[in-house]
Amino acid sequence: MRAIRSALDLTQEQLADRLGVSFATVNRWEGGANKPQKAARETILTLAAEAGIDVGADAEVSDGAADITRRRRGAPAGAPSTKSMEQMLWDAACSIRGEKDAPKFKDYLLPLLFLKRLSDVFDDEITRLSEEYGDLQTALEIAESDHSLLRFYMPPEARWAVISGRDNFEWPLDKDGKSTRPKDIGEHLTKAVRAVVKQNPDLAGVIDVVDFAAERNGERDVNPAKLRLVVETFSGPRYRLGLADVQPDFLGRAYEYLLRKFAEGSGQSAGEFFTPTEVGFLMAHIMRPRPGEECHDYACGSAGLLVKLQLVARELDPTSKVPLKLYGQELQAESCRSPDERDHP
């Protein structure tokens, strides 16, 4: 849906007018909350033809730009929808259920999810460099020598292929000549996030908020076998988190989804903890941000509203290269994530 709208250079309001529906309806379709009915699908297919996008008569048009964009770019057809991503998160949460209280699940899952996202984006960028310079090895050497070519540099031990066991990594020796190889997945994950922060200081306090190998009374907070199950869940081929695989604000949506599930599990209202996505986009459209403007949120949480302002600003003026100036503060450090543009390519 978003790909069609972008190709026709329409805002959500303009597309709603052409379809004879409300702005909120289009917003829900693009967010994956609802699917268009048959009459609307026929009109959407007509617009797709006008935009020069071949989605096929039976194509799904409700889940943002994901499916259509993948067809245009040649990405895997089995890439995840919003619903399957939510299922992935809940499967991962259930993998460590009983190990931690429900509200603490996110403290372990979100850094892992962020690590997976960083790694998949890194792989995408290495692929881009490979196409530019001719082969994978040359691309890796160039990336090692010039980290500025990448959004974030991922040290080898933190790349998901190594964490999941698909690739080998030769762990170095310490100053005493002993191997630094971690004893289990918990130690590996802790070493991985610390290595990422060392190479990318901007991520300090974002990705290294927990110690996956922490112990209490001689026992691990989270059993390594349980952590391995989470890694295996995130390693599924359908759950890739690269540039063309998920929407730019995926991490924020994941955070909100987990908050909602945990709130429901404890008999609370999720609205107490975050602003629902639809309301956030409505607020952003009401504000109609323009390139270069300053946007402040003094209780920003995971910065979801700030990110939505930037997304709407791009939607309103897709040709502008001037980003918004985003500022936020949050009392609860564990709620924060960087709204840096590099997180939302």
Side-chain angles (χ1 to χ4, degrees), residues 151-220:
R151 287 171 173 81
F152 293 100
Y153 172 75
M154 296 294 287
E157 66 269 33
R159 297 169 194 171
W160 200 260
V162 173
I163 291 172
S164 64
R166 294 199 314 271
D167 288 353
N168 293 321
F169 174 67
E170 191 67 33
W171 290 87
L173 302 178
D174 63 17
K175 61 181 180 180
D176 297 322
K178 297 180 180 179
S179 174
T180 58
R181 178 181 294 277
K183 293 185 296 185
D184 52 47
I185 188 64
E187 287 191 4
H188 188 165
L189 289 171
T190 297
K191 286 177 178 286
V193 295
R194 290 175 179 172
V196 171
V197 169
K198 184 177 180 179
Q199 295 290 340
N200 307 275
D202 288 348
L203 295 179
V206 177
I207 194 173
D208 57 342
V209 292
V210 294
D211 180 355
F212 293 95
E215 295 184 354
R216 184 175 303 177
N217 299 324
E219 294 186 359
R220 287 287 181 88

Side-chain angles (χ1 to χ4, degrees), residues 82 103 120 155 171 222 276 298 311:
T82 300
D120 286 349
W171 290 87
V222 179
Y298 296 102
L311 293 174

Side-chain angles (χ1 to χ4, degrees), residues 86-160:
E86 290 178 350
Q87 187 61 52
M88 175 193 71
L89 290 172
W90 195 240
D91 287 346
C94 290
S95 295
I96 57 173
R97 182 185 289 275
E99 296 283 338
K100 304 295 295 180
D101 294 335
K104 288 293 183 181
F105 287 170
K106 70 179 188 304
D107 295 344
Y108 290 84
L109 293 182
L110 289 174
L112 271 179
L113 195 65
F114 201 169
L115 189 64
K116 178 66 160 59
R117 165 69 166 172
L118 290 173
S119 186
D120 286 349
V121 170
F122 175 84
D123 289 345
D124 286 347
E125 295 190 314
I126 292 298
T127 298
R128 171 180 57 81
L129 291 175
S130 298
E131 294 171 352
E132 184 175 346
Y133 293 101
D135 63 81
L136 177 61
Q137 189 57 42
T138 300
L140 287 170
E141 291 174 359
I142 291 173
E144 291 285 350
S145 63
D146 187 358
H147 296 176
S148 67
L149 295 172
L150 310 165
R151 287 171 173 81
F152 293 100
Y153 172 75
M154 296 294 287
E157 66 269 33
R159 297 169 194 171
W160 200 260

